[in-house]
Amino acid sequence: MSSLISADEISHEAELVWLEDVDQLDYVRQSLDRLPTRKGKPAYHRDGRMVGYAILGPDAKASRASGTFRRRVFWLLPHDRDSEPDGLYARSAPAEAVDPRTLEPCVKGYKTERSEGGPPSRAMQELGIQLPL
């Protein structure tokens, strides 16, 4: 869950790799997965699809207990807003969702009006920006 990801847990990220154009996505789900390597495309074992992942720098240490690395994976489920715009998340976002435009290596990201499905703020209204973008 995004609220449970600490800055320490993502402090060794070197790069975020996007598999899709995230400018077209209002939100992505993020999680910290235990993976066998620091880099490379991880295997994906959820419903839906992986849209991105983090690559760790060489200073990232594997867990002593499991030998795995904690890396962020970004994903969407079949019932998310990009596939079902009028569905469950038409005017909200899942707990682990963040606006992909707020993500960078070592930055947790956060929800925005866009990721939450509106309503637009006064600033957005003054600029003539309407949701969905």
Side-chain angles (χ1 to χ4, degrees), residues 73-124:
V73 175
F74 306 100
W75 45 285
L76 291 167
L77 291 175
H79 61 273
D80 280 324
R81 190 181 312 145
D82 70 304
S83 297
E84 292 186 16
D86 297 322
L88 177 64
Y89 295 112
R91 296 280 175 234
S92 64
E96 68 272 19
V98 294
D99 186 329
R101 289 158 214 73
T102 67
L103 292 165
E104 293 179 30
C106 307
V107 175
K108 292 192 306 185
Y110 52 89
K111 290 184 177 177
T112 62
E113 291 165 333
R114 180 176 172 147
S115 68
E116 288 290 340
S121 66
R122 182 178 311 138
M124 287 180 68

Side-chain angles (χ1 to χ4, degrees), residues 3-4 10 16 23 26-27 35 40 44-45 57-58 62 67 77-78 99-100 115 120-121 123 126:
S3 61
L4 301 179
I10 60 175
L16 299 182
D23 287 338
D26 293 342
Y27 64 80
L35 301 170
Y44 184 72
H45 303 290
L77 291 175
D99 186 329
S115 68
S121 66
E126 289 173 1

